[in-house]
């Protein structure tokens, strides 16, 4: 059974508009990103997100509607499953409210529109027209009072009525503005291509007749005028309002103005050809246009006595390639983009300035995974969180193409590196004087020495040879500022209090019998140390290190860790090597107030302790890091000192070390240092564990200085640096502009480099040329190291990193690249090539073998040290023999193979039309024998496959072009041979986005894991999903939980969850998802009110709500 959760939500923008939704006095920008609506407010510093909401459907259209009875406007939304609904803003609940829903307006007998779905509102505000199917325009009347409608009906739309038209292949349509005293009926202009491939313009009258009770009425579109002499490149219609009226037609080489009364046309050619893609109106005489190359134009009509005499077109500048334009106000325009960053642009006299960018990683054409914690090989061990892996995507297209580094977790941004330093044992931040309000001194402790670095406000840093009399020839266990402008230093042999001004020792204390100090911790008034490992001694910092009390804990065991909290001045907490116990101890007497055994395992002992305030208005939280990588948390009652609410979370395989990072709101975050460092913080009443997007840290301390406010100091195995750490988890995207389509990405951990195949598009003398190349780029800076250029019209289709046999029996690392020619002259000509490319010690690319092939090389793989190539209609296995590639064996597919997934000796082949087949590769068993590819299983169904991935024994995950996911399993235990050859569907659901790539991840399974991650998926809308398999013991629970939540949590439009996620393609439509759990829905349990949570738990049969919360929180942490 499968589980799916989003790592990076969709970022592609295809639809946007401005609407007075939140307030009658403020226009908001509404952006649709696949299945999400985002509402932005325009402030002085740019666009600010005000509200976001997920929908059960991919948004295909947005429109604003104004009803006389409402002070604010309404939002009309259409989805890809032909679900339409009207939304308003609920000011009391601060949520979107559904006013009316049209459930499934799909016409089963009509063909879907071959162009993008369209939605237009008649300028008279009487009708709305939807363009959903070829040959049909759906008319929705806007109801109004005065026709015996109730108040609620007056704020709504009427029932949809289809109107047949003879025009197919509609390119654009628009309602014309009515002329005063002339137009009695709304008129609709349609730009279309006829059966003779002529571009025509048709003008139609809308005749609508309202129906009676239960009758939606009728509508017809009657011809008024037509033209069939338009330019072949005509693409868009722009209705012109008063005073000019009429219609503009945008074409590739001209712009035409049509007078809708006399039919006259004014045609003026463009200075340079342009492929216009979208437009937006500024006012009645001016528009902004965008073309396919990201150029933004300003168009203005030239009028004389309200008559159009011509037009003027000016180039403003270059933006991302626009999918939609929205003119906001005061020269600001929003450029929504599918293949580049969406942008807020200011129009000025001298051009356009980009004020703000919204990151967009769509479309994800390819991606690879870099596991920052494991670079020993190509397997990606990702045990605890997807945040440990860095996903590098090839995103965007052409001039908007880029490499994007995506990581989900707590961001860390380096501010500077102090230098190379190894074996730092601890870090402490200090103030050099009582007059300094913030830290300005950093103490780096080593085993046998201490180093001091002092910072200035001008970002200069100086290493001090001496500082306030500190003993720098000894390792420091603890250092801190104390009252009276003094400094506390604890080493293994003594405790000293130093005067910061004079550097004199004002107090000193040493253990008896020359015993060493092993652990120390302090608050403002007291220091507690462990002497000899078994004795605790409390010293008064205000009384020159006078011993308050001491106690020997030999009976309890050796002291492993110690913490004196600042949130409770009267206690200290100790962890013991023996018995796996933790004790709450009164500071004044060192008597044990509470003792808790964490585990009975004698090897698994506490290694670090922290008591701090993570969550506001809650008891402080005690965090205990165990030796096995587990973190145990308790709530500490301030009166009874009882520990309650135990929870356990696995962060790693080794014990973590905690450091408190204070926050401005009085709460604290905790930095957990382990092989996969994490930030622990409170959010919405829960404790959140989030991976930190940084290399391994050995120790950390807060360093809130004037030069680096809110910073932390981090020591790694090799250096010491200053960085800024986010306060909570987000998805972090780093961009490297390539300005070409990044078609394929491959990563070599051994070479520490990427191999990327790119496609560049250029305009040369009004002719478009396309070039392709393969580049080698450094993994850290993405700096280009070398490249290989391919022939003109030859494009990169596939690229992998491979370990190949070199013909002498040795495995060597190579990049393998497959190409295709755009225009092959005949069937028997060369249609592509395969390159084997080596990287020299100088990090240069060298072609060591290449082969001409008769089919485009769509996909590549490696099996048993040989190359597997997916060509047109054929899968071929090649061996590398010096400079030659030798064909070993072939397998003929049903139509065209487009993706491969290789596991062991099996190859899963995703076919363009015929789903997935599985073949087994075998080497010769005797001398003179031949290699073989034998089909062992097949999915006997029609599916337009896009990707396939092996996820478990005899189990594969497949995606199709219609946004569905299928889990296919071979029935190896079948009775007959036919049964065993069949791939059965054991799970399916509709994702709603087309998946371009599925990448397998290998995860070490833990015995109590609810789900086991198996793959990442990248989509054309910029989403990245984590696919996992559910543990057998949790399958029924999660299925019932999904059903219970779906019945209670409503989406805008009131679309049923099962309808939204049900499998749907051109052949078959299911009623609900099958053996698939939507992780995003499951995680909504945490946002439900307490009473609803209790009802859900009662329905699924789990009595303990807290246990359910813990399970769902663990699911959230994995991504």
């Amino acid at each position: 059974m499968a589980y799916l959760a989003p790592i990076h939500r969709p970022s592609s923008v295809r639809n946007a508009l401005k609407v007075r939704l939140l307030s009658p006095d403020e226009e908001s920008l509404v952006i649709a990103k696949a299945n999400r609506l985002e509402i932005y407010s325009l402030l002085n510093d740019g666009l600010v997100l005000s509200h976001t909401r997920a929908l059960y459907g991919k948004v295909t259209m947005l429109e604003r509607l104004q009803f006389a009875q409402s002070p604010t406007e309404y939002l009309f939304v259409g989805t890809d499953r032909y679900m339409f609904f009207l939304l308003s803003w609920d000011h009391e609940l601060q949520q979107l409210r559904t006013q009316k829903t049209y459930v499934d307006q799909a016409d089963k007998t009509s063909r879907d529109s071959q162009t993008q779905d369209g939605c237009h509102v008649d300028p008279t505000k009487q009708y709305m027209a939807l363009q959903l199917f070829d040959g049909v325009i759906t008319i929705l009347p806007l109801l109004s009072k005065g026709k015996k409608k109730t108040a609620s009906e007056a704020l709504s739309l009427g029932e949809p009525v289809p109107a047949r038209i003879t025009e197919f292949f509609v390119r654009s349509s628009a309602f014309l503005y009515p002329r005063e005293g002339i137009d009695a009926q709304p008129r609709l202009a349609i730009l279309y291509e006829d059966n003779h491939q002529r571009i025509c313009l048709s003008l139609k009258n809308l005749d609508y007749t309202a129906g009676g009770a239960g009758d939606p009425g009728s509508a017809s579109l009657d011809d008024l005028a037509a033209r069939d002499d338009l330019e072949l490149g005509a693409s868009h219609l722009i209705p012109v309002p008063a005073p000019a009226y009429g219609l503009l037609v945008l074409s590739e080489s001209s712009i035409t103005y049509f007078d809708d009364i006399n039919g006259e046309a004014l045609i003026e050619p463009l200075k340079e050809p342009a492929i216009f893609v979208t437009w937006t109106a500024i006012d009645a005489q001016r528009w902004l246009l965008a073309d396919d190359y990201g150029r933004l134009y300003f168009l203005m009509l030239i009028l004389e006595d309200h008559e159009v005499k011509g037009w003027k077109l000016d180039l403003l500048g270059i933006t991302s390639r626009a999918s939609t334009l929205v003119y906001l106000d005061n020269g600001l325009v929003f450029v929504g983009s599918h293949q580049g960053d969406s942008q807020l642009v200011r129009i000025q006299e001298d051009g356009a300035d980009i004020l703000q960018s919204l990151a967009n990683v769509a479309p994800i054409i390819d991606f690879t995974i870099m596991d920052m914690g494991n670079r020993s090989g190509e397997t990606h061990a990702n045990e605890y969180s997807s945040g440990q892996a860095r996903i590098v995507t090839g995103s965007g297209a052409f001039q908007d193409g880029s490499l994007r580094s995506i990581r989900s977790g707590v961001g860390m941004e380096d501010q500077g590196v102090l230098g190379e330093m190894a074996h730092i044992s601890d870090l402490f931040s200090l103030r050099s004087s009582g007059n300094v309000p913030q830290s300005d001194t950093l103490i780096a402790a080593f085993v046998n020495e201490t180093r001091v670095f002092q910072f200035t406000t001008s970002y200069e840093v100086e290493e001090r040879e001496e500082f306030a009399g500190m003993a720098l020839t000894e390792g420091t266990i603890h250092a801190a500022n104390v009252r009276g402008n003094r400094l506390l230093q604890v080493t293994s042999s003594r405790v000293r209090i130093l005067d910061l001004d004079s550097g004199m020792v004002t107090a000193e204390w040493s253990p008896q019998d020359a015993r060493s100090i092993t652990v120390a911790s302090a608050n403002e008034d007291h220091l507690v140390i462990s002497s000899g490992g078994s004795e605790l001694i409390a010293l008064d910092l205000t009384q020159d290190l006078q011993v308050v009390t001491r106690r020997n804990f030999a009976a309890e065991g050796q002291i492993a860790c110690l913490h004196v909290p600042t949130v409770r001045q009267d206690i200290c907490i100790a962890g013991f090597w023996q018995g796996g116990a933790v004790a709450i101890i009164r500071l004044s007497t060192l008597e044990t107030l509470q003792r808790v055994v964490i585990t009975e395992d004698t090897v698994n002992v506490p290694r670090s302790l922290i008591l701090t305030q993570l969550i506001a208005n809650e008891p402080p939280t005690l965090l205990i890091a165990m030796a096995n990588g587990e973190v145990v948390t308790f709530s500490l009652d301030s009166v009874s000192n009882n520990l309650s609410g135990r929870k356990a979370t696995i962060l790693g395989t080794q014990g973590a070390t905690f450091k408190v990072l204070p926050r401005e709101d009085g709460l604290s975050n905790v930095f957990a240092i382990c092989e996969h460092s994490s930030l622990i913080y409170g959010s919405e009443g829960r404790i959140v564990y989030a991976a930190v997007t940084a290399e391994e840290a050995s120790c950390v301390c807060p360093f809130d200085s004037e030069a680096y406010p809110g910073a932390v100091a981090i020591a790694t195995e090799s250096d010491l640096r200053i960085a800024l750490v986010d306060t909570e988890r987000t998805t972090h995207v780093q961009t490297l502009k390539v300005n070409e389509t990044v078609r394929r990405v491959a990563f070599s951990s051994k070479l520490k480099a990427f191999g990327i195949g790119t496609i560049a598009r250029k305009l040369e003398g009004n002719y478009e040329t396309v070039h392709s190349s393969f580049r080698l780029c450094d993994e850290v800076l993405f700096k280009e190291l070398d490249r290989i250029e391919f022939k003109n019209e030859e494009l990169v289709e596939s690229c992998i990193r491979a370990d190949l046999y070199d013909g002498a029996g040795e495995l060597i690392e190579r990049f393998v690249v497959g190409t295709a020619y755009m225009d092959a002259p005949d069937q028997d000509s060369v249609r592509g090539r395969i390159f084997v490319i080596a990287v020299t010690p100088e990090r240069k690319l060298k072609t060591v073998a290449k082969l001409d092939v008769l089919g485009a090389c769509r996909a590549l793989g490696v099996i048993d040290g040989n190359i597997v190539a997916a060509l047109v209609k054929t899968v071929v296995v090649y061996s590398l023999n010096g400079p030659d590639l030798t064909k070993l064996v072939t397998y003929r597919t049903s139509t065209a193979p487009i993706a491969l997934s290789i596991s062991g000796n099996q190859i899963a082949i995703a076919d363009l039309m015929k789903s997935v087949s599985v073949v087994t590769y075998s080497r010769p068993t005797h001398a003179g024998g031949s290699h073989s590819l034998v089909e062992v299983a097949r999915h006997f169904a029609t599916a337009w496959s896009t990707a396939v991935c092996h996820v478990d024994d005899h189990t594969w995950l497949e995606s199709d072009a219609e946004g569905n996911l299928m889990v296919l399993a071979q029935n190896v235990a079948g009775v007959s041979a036919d049964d065993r050859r069949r791939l059965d569907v054991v799970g399916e659901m509709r994702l709603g986005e087309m998946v371009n790539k599925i990448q397998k991840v290998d995860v070490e399974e833990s015995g109590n894991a609810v789900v086991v991650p198996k793959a990442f998926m990248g989509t054309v809308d910029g989403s990245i999903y984590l696919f996992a398999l559910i543990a057998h013991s949790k399958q029924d629970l999660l299925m019932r939980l999904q059903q219970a939540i779906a019945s209670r949590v409503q989406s805008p439009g009131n679309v049923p969850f099962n309808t939204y996620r049900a499998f749907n393609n051109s052949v078959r439509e299911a009623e609900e998802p099958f053996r698939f759990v939507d992780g995003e829905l499951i995680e909504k349990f945490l946002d439900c009110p307490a009473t609803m949570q209790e009802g859900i738990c009662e329905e699924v049969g789990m009595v303990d709500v807290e246990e359910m919360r813990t399970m769902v929180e663990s699911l959230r942490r994995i991504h």
Side-chain angles (χ1 to χ4, degrees):
M1 185 176 290
Y3 184 88
L4 191 74
I7 295 174
H8 184 271
R9 302 190 188 280
S11 55
S12 163
V13 176
R14 287 190 174 97
N15 296 278
L17 84 167
K18 63 177 180 180
V19 55
R20 297 185 186 276
L21 182 67
L22 304 181
S23 167
D25 303 321
E26 174 192 354
E27 284 191 321
S28 302
L29 176 68
V30 178
I31 298 174
K33 297 180 178 180
N35 71 325
R36 302 190 72 83
L37 287 179
E38 294 182 353
I39 304 174
Y40 288 84
S41 297
L42 182 60
L43 304 179
N44 293 332
D45 53 351
L47 295 172
V48 177
L49 182 64
S50 300
H51 183 74
T52 182
R53 189 70 188 273
L55 309 179
Y56 286 166
K58 183 177 180 179
V59 178
T60 57
M61 62 179 67
L62 293 173
E63 190 55 81
R64 59 191 286 180
L65 297 175
Q66 177 71 62
F67 296 99
Q69 310 301 320
S70 173
T72 58
E73 293 178 316
Y74 283 40
L75 186 65
F76 179 82
V77 182
T79 72
D80 61 336
R81 295 292 297 272
Y82 302 107
M83 305 284 187
F84 305 93
F85 37 90
L86 197 61
L87 302 177
S88 65
W89 182 251
D90 190 319
H91 293 277
E92 293 184 3
L93 300 178
Q94 293 293 294
Q95 287 285 348
L96 290 171
R97 177 176 57 199
T98 303
Q99 292 293 135
K100 187 166 185 178
T101 299
Y102 299 92
V103 179
D104 194 1
Q105 294 298 323
D107 187 338
K108 306 299 182 183
T109 63
S110 299
R111 184 177 65 184
D112 292 350
S113 174
Q114 301 303 295
T115 57
Q116 186 176 359
D117 292 348
C119 176
H120 308 290
V121 175
D122 163 36
T124 64
K125 311 298 183 184
Q126 298 181 68
Y127 305 100
M128 176 187 288
L130 305 182
Q131 180 188 329
L132 307 174
F133 309 100
D134 284 341
V136 178
I137 299 292
T138 303
I139 305 298
L140 287 87
L142 277 66
L143 301 180
S144 61
K145 269 199 163 184
K147 294 186 178 181
K148 298 182 179 180
K149 304 295 183 184
T150 65
S152 61
E153 289 176 327
L155 297 178
S156 187
L157 291 168
E159 292 301 315
V161 179
R164 296 286 177 178
I165 58 174
T166 58
E167 293 81 4
F168 291 81
F169 305 108
V170 174
R171 293 188 176 185
S172 181
S173 58
F175 276 111
L176 271 65
Y177 284 90
R179 296 175 184 258
E180 293 184 8
I182 298 179
D183 299 328
Q185 294 175 310
R187 294 175 301 160
L188 184 69
I190 299 176
L191 180 69
Y192 68 99
E193 180 181 344
D194 68 7
N195 294 330
H196 303 287
Q197 296 184 339
R198 295 176 301 185
I199 308 304
C200 307
L201 178 64
S202 176
L203 194 61
K204 297 177 178 293
N205 253 349
L206 171 60
D207 185 9
Y208 173 80
T209 303
D215 181 9
S218 62
S220 62
L221 290 166
D222 304 321
D223 292 334
L224 286 177
R227 298 181 67 107
D228 61 2
D229 58 348
L230 275 67
E231 181 186 323
L232 287 176
S235 58
H236 291 78
L237 299 179
I238 301 178
V240 180
Y245 297 103
L247 195 67
L248 287 173
V249 180
L250 305 182
S251 304
E252 290 184 7
S253 60
S254 66
I255 295 179
T256 304
Y257 169 75
F258 281 98
D259 189 313
D260 57 313
I261 296 299
N262 57 32
E264 294 182 357
L266 176 62
I267 304 175
E268 292 191 13
L270 300 173
K271 293 180 181 179
E272 293 183 356
I275 304 173
F276 296 111
V277 292
T278 187
W279 60 273
T280 186
I282 298 177
D283 53 30
Q285 199 174 334
R286 299 179 298 171
W287 294 266
L288 294 173
L289 314 179
D291 75 359
D292 195 43
Y293 287 84
R295 293 178 294 199
L296 187 66
Y297 298 89
F298 176 82
L299 173 65
M300 183 176 69
L301 289 182
I302 300 174
L303 303 180
E304 289 184 9
D305 297 328
H306 302 329
E307 291 186 5
V308 177
K309 296 301 181 181
W311 48 261
K312 182 180 180 182
L313 185 70
D314 294 322
L315 177 63
L316 295 175
I318 304 296
T319 67
S320 298
R321 194 269 192 193
S323 299
T324 182
L325 292 175
V326 180
Y327 183 74
L328 299 173
D329 204 0
N330 298 323
L332 294 177
V333 60
F334 174 74
V335 179
S337 180
H338 166 64
Q339 63 187 42
D341 291 342
S342 295
Q343 297 164 333
L344 180 65
V345 176
R346 181 180 296 280
I347 307 302
Q348 298 179 338
E349 291 183 2
D350 57 346
D353 293 333
I354 297 174
L355 303 181
Q356 183 180 0
S357 292
L358 304 181
N360 172 31
V361 302
I364 298 176
I365 303 173
D366 193 16
F367 71 88
T368 187
I369 303 172
M370 292 177 61
D371 189 339
M372 305 303 289
N374 175 22
R375 300 197 174 191
S376 59
E378 285 299 300
T379 57
H380 307 290
N382 181 22
E383 297 180 60
Y384 311 110
S385 168
S386 65
Q388 313 301 343
R390 188 171 119 197
I391 299 174
V392 178
T393 68
S395 299
F398 301 120
Q399 68 270 14
D400 297 314
S402 62
L403 279 176
R404 307 278 178 138
S405 173
I406 303 171
R407 198 168 182 189
S408 175
V410 175
M412 181 180 295
E413 180 182 356
D414 287 343
Q415 301 295 297
V417 178
L418 272 68
E420 295 184 358
M421 286 173 248
H423 311 299
I424 296 177
S425 59
D426 211 341
L427 294 170
F428 308 94
S429 59
L430 301 173
R431 299 186 308 276
S432 60
S433 168
N435 299 324
V436 178
Q438 293 175 287
S439 300
D440 63 349
T441 305
L442 185 63
I443 307 297
F446 298 81
V447 175
N448 296 316
E449 66 171 334
T450 299
R451 297 173 66 177
V452 180
F453 301 90
Q454 193 164 1
F455 292 73
T456 67
T457 57
S458 58
Y459 301 96
E460 295 180 355
V461 58
E462 175 190 3
E463 182 172 2
R464 300 287 299 272
E465 296 297 328
E466 64 85 27
F467 178 73
M470 287 186 69
L472 302 184
T473 58
E474 301 179 53
T476 298
I477 296 176
H478 185 78
N481 290 98
V482 294
R483 300 178 192 274
N485 195 30
R486 297 180 302 166
L487 169 66
L488 169 68
Q489 182 188 18
V490 181
T491 68
S492 61
S493 60
R494 54 184 171 168
V495 180
R496 308 170 80 205
I497 293 182
L498 311 163
D499 184 81
L500 281 172
D501 292 332
S502 64
M504 299 294 292
V505 178
T506 62
E508 184 170 344
W509 181 91
S510 299
Q512 298 175 351
D513 304 327
R515 288 187 295 179
S516 62
I517 300 172
T518 56
V519 187
S521 182
N523 57 24
E524 292 182 348
D525 298 325
H526 293 90
L527 167 70
V528 179
I529 65 168
S530 172
S531 174
S534 60
E535 185 180 25
L536 282 186
I537 304 170
L539 305 175
D540 193 332
L541 300 178
T542 63
Q543 299 294 325
D544 293 335
L545 299 179
Q546 180 179 338
V547 175
V548 177
T549 185
R550 59 200 313 156
R551 179 185 170 190
N552 194 300
F553 285 84
E556 285 82 356
Q558 294 286 310
I559 297 168
C561 48
L562 178 68
H563 175 60
V564 179
T566 57
V567 294
R568 286 281 306 274
Q569 299 284 333
D570 60 332
I571 62 171
C572 67
I573 308 167
F576 298 92
W577 285 104
Q578 288 80 23
V582 169
I584 310 297
I585 301 170
R586 191 186 305 278
L587 194 58
S588 58
T589 62
L590 294 184
E591 64 174 305
T592 300
L593 301 175
Q594 189 73 248
R595 187 175 186 273
V596 177
V597 176
I598 307 300
T599 177
E600 299 294 338
D601 186 352
T602 57
V603 178
N604 187 23
V605 297
R607 298 304 305 270
S608 184
L609 298 165
I610 286 288
L611 179 69
T612 190
Q613 194 74 42
L614 291 178
I615 304 172
N617 303 319
E618 294 286 342
T621 302
L622 174 63
L623 297 98
I624 306 167
M626 306 300 290
N628 66 348
E630 190 177 40
V631 173
V632 181
T633 63
F634 292 94
S635 292
L636 176 64
D637 187 277
S638 300
V639 178
S640 64
N641 295 311
N642 288 330
L643 296 173
S644 60
R646 170 176 173 151
K647 294 182 181 179
T649 302
I650 296 177
L651 284 189
T653 57
Q654 302 173 5
T657 302
F658 294 139
K659 274 298 180 77
V660 174
L661 302 181
R663 291 171 36 163
E664 293 181 355
D665 57 5
L667 302 177
S668 297
N669 293 344
V670 175
F671 199 107
I673 306 161
C674 54
E675 71 266 36
H676 296 307
S677 295
S678 298
L679 189 75
I680 306 173
Y681 62 94
S683 176
E684 299 176 354
R686 304 186 308 274
I687 298 176
V688 179
Y689 298 78
V692 177
T693 59
E695 295 181 1
E696 293 182 2
S698 59
C699 47
V700 173
C701 79
F703 191 65
D704 182 20
S705 62
E706 187 173 352
Y708 301 100
V712 297
I714 298 177
T716 67
E717 294 181 356
S718 58
D719 60 32
L720 175 61
R721 60 186 63 193
I722 305 298
L724 292 176
V725 178
D726 291 345
T727 56
E728 59 184 24
R729 173 180 180 162
T730 54
T731 298
H732 301 271
V733 179
Q734 294 177 324
T735 303
L736 172 71
K737 294 293 290 184
V738 180
N739 300 319
E740 299 178 14
T741 300
V742 181
R743 184 75 173 88
R744 290 289 180 255
V745 182
F747 174 64
S748 169
S749 57
K750 180 180 178 182
L751 298 172
K752 296 184 177 180
F754 290 97
I756 60 173
T758 65
I759 300 173
R761 180 182 65 171
K762 296 180 181 179
L763 274 179
E764 298 176 354
N766 293 334
Y767 287 93
E768 184 178 272
T769 61
V770 179
H771 305 278
S772 193
S773 63
F774 177 74
R775 306 183 187 188
L776 184 70
C777 299
D778 179 78
E779 70 160 347
V780 177
L781 301 176
F782 293 118
K783 177 184 177 182
E784 182 177 319
L785 303 174
D786 197 15
R787 72 159 63 188
I788 294 176
E789 296 284 351
F790 298 118
K791 297 179 180 179
N792 289 341
E793 307 297 310
E794 182 182 16
L795 305 182
V796 171
E797 286 285 346
S798 51
C799 169
I800 61 169
R801 185 219 66 92
D803 290 321
L804 305 175
Y805 286 112
D806 61 356
E810 297 292 330
L811 278 177
I812 53 176
E813 185 177 47
R814 296 288 184 261
F815 286 109
V816 185
V817 180
T819 68
Y821 290 108
M822 292 180 63
D823 187 16
D826 56 67
Q827 292 290 331
D828 297 326
S829 64
V830 173
R831 294 194 168 193
R833 294 191 289 175
I834 298 175
F835 293 79
V836 179
I837 301 172
V839 179
T840 66
E842 295 78 24
R843 306 192 86 179
K844 299 295 182 182
L845 296 174
K846 179 182 179 182
T847 301
V848 296
K850 62 182 176 181
L851 177 70
D852 294 339
V853 291
L854 298 180
C857 186
R858 302 297 187 192
L860 289 165
V862 179
I863 190 167
D864 198 17
N866 297 316
I867 298 172
V868 183
L871 310 179
V872 174
K873 283 189 171 293
T874 310
V875 174
V876 186
V877 179
Y878 295 98
S879 65
L880 177 63
N881 297 298
D884 300 320
L885 290 174
T886 304
K887 183 188 294 185
L888 300 179
V889 64
T890 64
Y891 167 79
R892 192 167 181 83
T893 59
S894 299
T895 56
I898 59 170
L900 302 172
S901 178
I902 299 172
S903 178
N905 68 335
Q906 287 192 328
I907 307 172
I909 304 165
D911 189 86
L912 178 65
M913 295 176 60
K914 295 297 182 180
S915 195
V916 172
S917 58
V918 180
V919 298
T920 298
Y921 167 75
S922 301
R923 281 183 170 272
T925 57
H926 58 278
S930 60
H931 299 258
S932 67
L933 284 175
V934 178
E935 182 179 304
V936 295
R938 175 182 287 273
H939 181 218
F940 294 93
T942 298
W944 293 78
S945 308
T946 60
V948 66
C949 180
H950 179 265
V951 293
D952 203 4
D953 294 340
H954 309 291
T955 306
W956 291 265
L957 173 65
E958 178 192 8
S959 62
D960 70 15
E962 295 174 273
N964 298 297
L965 297 176
M966 291 174 284
V967 180
L968 307 174
Q970 183 181 1
N971 185 11
V972 292
V975 177
S976 65
D978 286 343
D979 291 338
R980 293 189 291 273
R981 285 191 64 243
R982 191 175 297 275
L983 288 177
D984 296 324
V985 177
V986 296
E988 64 179 18
M989 73 173 286
R990 180 177 177 82
L991 180 63
E993 303 173 52
M994 191 176 83
V995 174
N996 271 337
K997 175 73 177 288
I998 307 176
Q999 175 73 53
K1000 185 177 182 179
V1001 291
D1002 293 323
V1003 175
E1004 295 182 15
E1005 300 183 25
S1006 59
N1008 57 351
V1010 180
V1011 299
V1012 181
K1014 291 294 182 181
F1016 291 121
M1017 302 187 299
T1019 76
V1020 295
D1021 289 292
S1023 300
I1024 299 177
Y1025 291 91
L1026 175 68
F1027 173 86
L1029 295 179
I1030 304 174
H1032 183 75
S1033 61
K1034 301 294 185 181
Q1035 292 179 1
D1036 181 62
L1037 173 63
L1038 286 182
M1039 286 297 294
R1040 286 186 283 114
L1041 178 60
Q1042 177 173 261
Q1043 183 179 358
I1045 297 175
S1047 64
R1048 291 169 169 83
V1049 177
Q1050 295 296 318
S1051 163
N1054 300 325
V1055 179
F1057 171 80
N1058 284 342
T1059 302
Y1060 165 53
R1061 285 304 191 192
F1063 181 93
N1064 183 307
N1065 66 9
S1066 57
V1067 178
R1068 179 172 62 89
E1069 182 176 349
E1071 295 182 354
E1072 60 183 2
F1074 173 57
R1075 292 174 61 81
F1076 239 109
V1077 174
D1078 186 340
E1080 189 172 13
L1081 178 67
I1082 294 296
E1083 291 170 16
K1084 288 182 180 179
F1085 175 84
L1086 299 175
D1087 302 322
C1088 294
T1091 54
M1092 186 180 292
Q1093 289 182 347
E1094 292 172 0
I1096 292 172
C1097 291
E1098 183 178 351
E1099 181 175 336
V1100 301
M1102 181 179 284
V1103 178
D1104 192 345
V1105 176
E1106 187 60 34
E1107 183 180 349
M1108 180 69 80
R1109 286 198 199 101
T1110 301
M1111 184 189 73
V1112 177
E1113 286 171 357
S1114 70
L1115 291 173
R1116 174 177 283 184
R1117 280 195 299 273
I1118 68 170
H1119 66 90

